[in-house]
Amino acid sequence: MAHSNSAQPHPSLVFNLKPLFAIKDFFALLATAFSEAKAMEQNSHKNGGNW
């Protein structure tokens, strides 16, 4: 009985780390998209004559 209780936290640790990696990847993707959109906005302001 004690052995099953001591082995229980290990799988929960693995399941708790996976969403953290997904959140980190999501924020990295969001930052990349934001920087690309900012660069496109600056280029459009340079090229646009009606602003």
Side-chain angles (χ1 to χ4, degrees), residues 11-33:
S12 67
L13 180 67
V14 174
F15 284 125
N16 284 338
L17 285 178
K18 281 187 177 182
L20 291 179
F21 287 127
I23 291 170
K24 181 182 70 99
D25 289 342
F26 174 73
F27 278 114
L29 187 68
L30 197 67
T32 305

Side-chain angles (χ1 to χ4, degrees), residues 22-48:
I23 291 170
K24 181 182 70 99
D25 289 342
F26 174 73
F27 278 114
L29 187 68
L30 197 67
T32 305
F34 182 76
S35 64
E36 286 182 2
K38 197 72 172 169
M40 286 177 64
E41 182 188 5
Q42 288 176 351
N43 286 339
S44 69
H45 280 299
K46 287 177 187 173
N47 296 335

